[in-house]
Amino acid sequence: MPMTRSQEFFVQCHLTERCNLHCRHCYQTGKKTVEMSLSEIKNITAEVSDMIQQWSETYGLAFSSSFNVTGGEPFMKGDLFPVLEEIGNRGFEIYLLTNGMLLDRDRARMLPELGVKGVQVSIEGTEEVHDSIRGKGSFSAALRGVHFLLEAGATVTLNTTLSSMNANSFLQMVELCSSLGVQKLGFSRLVPSGRGKEMLENMLDAPSVRKLYQSIYSAETRGVTLVTGDPIASQMSVEVNEDGGSIPCGGCAAGSSGLTILPDGTITPCRRLPIPIGNVRKDSLREIWATSPVLIALRDRSKYKGRCGSCKRWAHCRGCRAIAYGYAQSHGDCDFLAQDPQCFL
């Protein structure tokens, strides 16, 4: 059967909950878990590979498949490099998400050799802002790691979680990236989940998000590429003049183009959307993807509430389900299909 189009599918694999930081806005809780072994992770990569191959043969689709490997802090996982090697041997693109602090020259050099296509390092803004969120001394330590990555020839993205604490200084990140030689600058919005629940008052309101995004996309980027997984940001340059359909074809990845696997094997639609839908230690990923009531609901436009359900951009956006869920929870609800409270479209 001829291939007609390419479809993205990714697995975000969290190797550990352990971390050397205790960030104020983190969507994780740092709870202790029985982490998956290397052999279990090998089984997962094999299952995902077989699943995608069968999809490709059945539906005639060419897949762009990847693993986003993170933690906690992934460099606190002793067998990180064998894990990366296994994923690469299965033909997946590999992206690593880290706080950068535990990188040294040797570790940085190994990443491109293992086929890691990009490394995301979290930087929350200026040194003062960053350290106020992530801890004293974390800014300089992270930039030292970035230096080692660039020296090793890695493609680096600095990523910022946007809130009232750093929105006004975010554009200074463009200058920082340019001065360091970092290729990409990413951003996402604060999710009031995990420890981030305590920062609910630091969430930007919709007009503030609009103003910030307008300033970001009108700024001189000085050769730095802006990247984001925020479905609302992705819609700012897209004109939609009709209903747009009811089949997800972009926007929020939850239920559409990816899954998350936690250190103990728990499967969730998204790491920032803490709704367990199975566990790889006992459940089939393929069956979860096809039959999970949560995933099915995420793909059903009629289930969405408020403005998201009636929006002409639904198929291409759907808002951030994690933010919608976290915000709804903070107001006494548990609806992951609620409207995105920061939408300004």
Side-chain angles (χ1 to χ4, degrees):
M1 183 178 293
M3 301 297 179
T4 57
R5 63 185 180 90
S6 180
Q7 175 68 40
E8 177 185 1
F9 187 84
F10 70 91
V11 173
Q12 180 145 326
C13 187
H14 291 255
L15 302 181
T16 180
E17 288 282 348
R18 290 173 288 157
C19 189
N20 55 321
L21 293 177
H22 194 79
C23 303
R24 294 174 59 185
H25 66 311
C26 187
Y27 52 78
Q28 300 177 167
T29 60
K31 67 179 181 179
K32 294 182 178 180
T33 60
V34 179
E35 297 173 0
M36 290 183 294
S37 66
L38 178 59
S39 63
E40 287 177 308
I41 294 172
K42 286 182 177 181
N43 290 337
I44 292 168
T45 58
E47 183 179 5
V48 175
S49 179
D50 292 344
M51 179 174 69
I52 290 176
Q53 183 177 351
Q54 184 171 5
W55 286 347
S56 181
E57 293 172 352
T58 302
Y59 302 110
L61 296 175
F63 281 86
S64 173
S65 53
S66 61
F67 267 69
N68 298 334
V69 179
T70 186
E73 170 49 50
F75 282 99
M76 297 192 75
K77 180 74 169 176
D79 53 5
L80 170 63
F81 291 112
V83 167
L84 296 178
E85 183 176 19
E86 170 65 21
I87 295 171
N89 287 342
R90 288 286 179 177
F92 294 104
E93 293 186 351
I94 308 170
Y95 299 92
L96 185 68
L97 287 65
T98 173
N99 61 41
M101 295 177 64
L102 300 182
L103 277 161
D104 56 25
R105 183 169 280 108
D106 290 337
R107 283 177 164 180
R109 285 175 177 169
M110 290 181 67
L111 298 179
E113 293 174 2
L114 289 168
V116 175
K117 293 200 66 174
V119 183
Q120 176 181 298
V121 178
S122 299
I123 300 290
E124 306 304 339
T126 63
E127 182 169 11
E128 179 181 4
V129 170
H130 179 95
D131 283 2
S132 72
I133 296 172
R134 291 182 168 263
K136 186 176 181 180
S138 59
F139 181 84
S140 60
L143 290 196
R144 184 169 59 250
V146 169
H147 171 76
F148 290 137
L149 290 168
L150 294 172
E151 183 181 70
T155 298
V156 178
T157 301
L158 299 189
N159 193 78
T160 300
T161 299
L162 297 171
S163 70
S164 63
M165 296 185 68
N166 57 14
N168 292 336
S169 62
F170 177 73
L171 290 181
Q172 296 180 44
M173 291 289 293
V174 175
E175 182 176 350
L176 176 63
C177 288
S178 180
S179 66
L180 292 172
V182 168
Q183 301 93 336
K184 299 180 181 181
L185 174 60
F187 59 90
S188 55
R189 289 178 279 148
L190 170 70
V191 177
S193 179
R195 289 196 295 273
K197 290 179 180 179
E198 304 302 319
M199 290 185 64
L200 182 67
E201 64 182 22
N202 295 108
M203 286 184 67
L204 300 169
D205 59 23
S208 297
V209 174
R210 177 199 289 271
K211 181 179 179 181
L212 176 59
Y213 283 6
Q214 287 174 336
S215 67
I216 290 173
Y217 285 114
S218 62
E220 171 56 53
T221 60
R222 305 174 66 170
V224 177
T225 301
L226 293 173
V227 293
T228 183
D230 186 347
I232 290 178
S234 70
Q235 294 302 299
M236 291 192 65
S237 60
V238 178
E239 292 294 333
V240 179
N241 299 315
E242 54 187 49
D243 180 56
S246 57
I247 298 176
C249 55
C252 181
S256 173
S257 57
L259 284 172
T260 290
I261 301 175
L262 302 186
D264 65 353
T266 298
I267 309 165
T268 65
C270 164
R271 181 56 185 97
R272 305 191 302 170
L273 183 58
I275 301 176
I277 57 175
N279 191 294
V280 293
R281 285 173 161 155
K282 60 182 180 64
D283 299 315
S284 161
L285 277 173
R286 190 176 309 176
E287 289 184 12
I288 291 293
W289 184 255
T291 65
S292 164
V294 172
L295 297 184
I296 290 172
L298 285 165
R299 301 167 189 148
D300 186 347
R301 180 172 183 166
S302 69
K303 303 293 185 182
Y304 281 64
K305 310 298 193 307
R307 295 176 60 224
C308 285
S310 60
C311 182
K312 62 185 179 181
R313 300 174 183 268
W314 183 89
H316 307 279
C317 179
R318 298 180 303 289
C320 174
R321 293 298 93 214
I323 291 175
Y325 181 66
Y327 188 82
Q329 276 194 315
S330 70
H331 289 76
D333 197 357
C334 292
D335 193 350
F336 61 93
L337 299 170
Q339 71 179 29
D340 187 323
Q342 293 174 304
C343 180
F344 53 81
L345 299 170

